[in-house]
Amino acid sequence: MRTFLAISNVMRTDGEFSLKDIPGTSGRADVIARSVTSAFLTSHGIRADVELYVVCLGPPDPPKTIRFIGSELKHLNPDERTTASLLQKALRTDPGGSWTVSTPGIQVKRSGLEVLDNLPKPFFLLSEDGGPFRPEGGTYVLGDHRGLTEEQMASMDSAGAERISLGPVSLHTDQCIVLIHNGLDTV
Ligand SMILES: C[S@@+](CC[C@H](N)C(=O)[O-])C[C@H]1O[C@@H](n2cnc3c(N)ncnc32)[C@H](O)[C@@H]1O
């Protein structure tokens, strides 16, 4: 199993955005949509052995965590609009204290970073200033286009996360996910 966790500090958490202007109305749900497709889609299929958690901390109704389960996912296509629409459905689903299904393979829960308590260790925090990436199992944690706050970096340090770098160039979240997959695919 490969586990990713993306922290979204900006995407709207009520799902009230226009699919005709995703970047302009959603708090950049397009960034998260690309991360979802990179986590699961290959050229001709879907990675069943992947789970992605998106911790949604943006306004106006945080926190919510959306969980994507590769072995159960349906209706995921390469285009951003379809994925943004799945995100929208999840964000419009009333989140309970336990996982609630919004569409097949997608669940939502009223939770913030504490969701990490139940994810596989070790934790790896993707950070330009980290040590080398040695592909291995665990949970890979990434920021959105703004990155993690100082407080979130400190929380990850307290959780024992090892900072790892994919090189000196700052990449997009979805690009990092592709590189991690490639590293794990080729060990
Ligand atoms: C677009 S970057 C965020 C840039 C933001 N300005 C910052 O300084 O954090 C999105 C996320 O991808 C990851 N990332 C980007 N480039 C990376 C690299 N070279 N090595 C490791 N992680 C990287 C980090 O987790 C980062 O939060």
Side-chain angles (χ1 to χ4, degrees):
M1 179 62 66
R2 298 180 184 179
T3 308
F4 295 93
L5 182 146
I7 300 176
S8 165
N9 284 318
V10 183
M11 180 174 69
R12 287 189 67 87
T13 38
D14 58 1
E16 297 310 311
F17 53 82
S18 166
L19 293 174
K20 290 183 183 157
D21 178 12
I22 299 163
T25 61
S26 65
R28 300 299 310 275
D30 57 305
V31 171
I32 303 303
R34 285 192 292 277
S35 300
V36 173
T37 49
S38 294
F40 292 102
L41 294 186
T42 58
S43 180
H44 295 294
I46 191 151
R47 292 182 185 270
D49 63 337
V50 173
E51 285 197 3
L52 166 68
Y53 294 77
V54 181
V55 176
C56 306
L57 301 173
D61 190 25
K64 293 179 182 178
T65 294
I66 308 174
R67 176 192 195 183
F68 298 79
I69 304 167
S71 57
E72 298 175 20
L73 268 179
K74 294 206 177 4
H75 318 304
L76 185 63
N77 295 320
D79 69 287
E80 246 168 55
R81 194 172 184 277
T82 302
T83 313
S85 153
L86 294 172
L87 283 169
Q88 190 169 54
K89 284 186 183 131
L91 291 166
R92 285 177 173 168
T93 299
D94 191 15
S98 53
W99 295 108
T100 304
V101 174
S102 57
T103 49
I106 305 181
Q107 305 173 348
V108 63
K109 183 180 175 181
R110 179 71 73 189
S111 172
L113 260 185
E114 63 275 17
V115 75
L116 267 174
D117 294 346
N118 294 312
L119 300 192
K121 290 187 175 171
F123 300 145
F124 299 105
L125 174 61
L126 275 290
S127 177
E128 289 89 325
D129 65 359
F133 167 45
R134 297 176 306 277
E136 57 181 296
T139 298
Y140 290 87
V141 178
L142 308 103
D144 61 11
H145 57 296
R146 300 250 181 101
L148 271 65
T149 64
E150 291 289 321
E151 203 177 47
Q152 289 163 349
M153 292 293 258
S155 297
M156 292 309 305
D157 287 340
S158 308
E162 179 188 344
R163 293 192 192 191
I164 58 165
S165 173
L166 298 170
V169 177
S170 185
L171 303 168
H172 293 296
T173 312
D174 59 306
Q175 294 173 329
C176 292
I177 291 173
V178 170
L179 288 176
I180 295 165
H181 271 318
N182 180 255
L184 292 164
D185 288 342
T186 51
V187 282

